[in-house]
Amino acid sequence: MICLRLWRAVPTERRPAWALVLFLACLVVVSTTGKSDAENLPPVKIVAFGTSLTARGGWQAGLEAKLAACLQRPVRVDSVAKSGETSAWALTQLDRVVAEEPDIILIELYANDATVHRFVSLAQSRRNIGEILDQLHRRLPRARIILMAMNPFSGLRGLIRPFVGSYISAHQAEAQKRGLEFVDHRPGWERLNPDELAAAIPDGAHPRPDVAARIIVPELVGHIAGRDCGE
């Protein structure tokens, strides 16, 4: 509209001479306006909801930066997470998640349910995640809810989770039953050779933040944005 008004203000006989000037001026106006609009957009709010794989994850800052660059708008990632906790604990934290009014909720809540000493049966874990998903969807109907499968476990931490794959499958099934999203990060970890994997997850459970970010962030950015944003 600004360019059209400028064009109409120029006398008809002078328009050919002014055409290039107006063209360049309009480019500046459009470029400046677009940048201003992007900067003025409210941030995309993301809550990462989970266990120590989130609390100690270290991938959230990378997700903020890469997703913001991809979407050309601000992104803020907050966490509601606690090491060693199960889906039973998560049921008591839903008010905290809802209070953030997130646009996107990233969930990983199977890892400690699957430990033999927590005594959370597969059936109970499935009921818990179902209740979590139902409450979040009801209370935040516009939010995207994305369940995630994280990194593998090894050593003692793997031994105490003999059926972790079944817990992941149960949580995935509950998400799919509700038409919700699921992102599986395991293939990214499987691309590492045994030595790389041992170095990346030295304690058998918690990845080094830099490696976690390298594997998790591109997968999440592509999934959330719906396209490959590159590096």
Side-chain angles (χ1 to χ4, degrees), residues 204-218:
H206 305 100
R208 286 169 34 208
D210 59 321
V211 184
R214 190 168 74 238
I215 290 175
I216 293 170
V217 169

Side-chain angles (χ1 to χ4, degrees), residues 113-127:
D113 285 13
T115 58
V116 293
H117 63 288
R118 298 286 177 176
F119 304 107
V120 181
S121 70
L122 182 60
Q124 185 62 56
S125 181
R126 188 163 187 161
R127 286 192 294 272

Side-chain angles (χ1 to χ4, degrees), residues 134-175:
D134 286 341
Q135 286 203 42
L136 289 176
H137 184 59
R138 184 176 67 252
R139 298 172 68 180
L140 297 166
R142 296 183 181 179
R144 288 178 66 178
I145 299 174
I146 304 173
L147 266 70
M148 302 188 294
M150 307 298 279
N151 54 275
F153 297 94
S154 63
L156 177 60
R157 286 182 165 91
L159 289 174
I160 63 175
R161 295 175 171 88
F163 306 112
V164 65
S166 297
Y167 282 76
I168 292 173
S169 295
H171 285 214
Q172 180 180 8
E174 290 301 306

Side-chain angles (χ1 to χ4, degrees), residues 68-92:
C70 180
L71 299 179
Q72 292 296 295
R73 64 180 294 183
V75 174
R76 191 183 79 212
V77 181
D78 294 312
S79 296
V80 175
K82 189 174 180 180
S83 297
E85 289 295 352
T86 67
S87 57
W89 166 84
L91 278 167
T92 70

Side-chain angles (χ1 to χ4, degrees), residues 49-66:
F49 187 23
T51 66
S52 58
L53 301 181
T54 293
R56 296 172 52 180
W59 45 266
Q60 291 93 326
L63 178 60
E64 277 188 350
K66 296 290 186 180

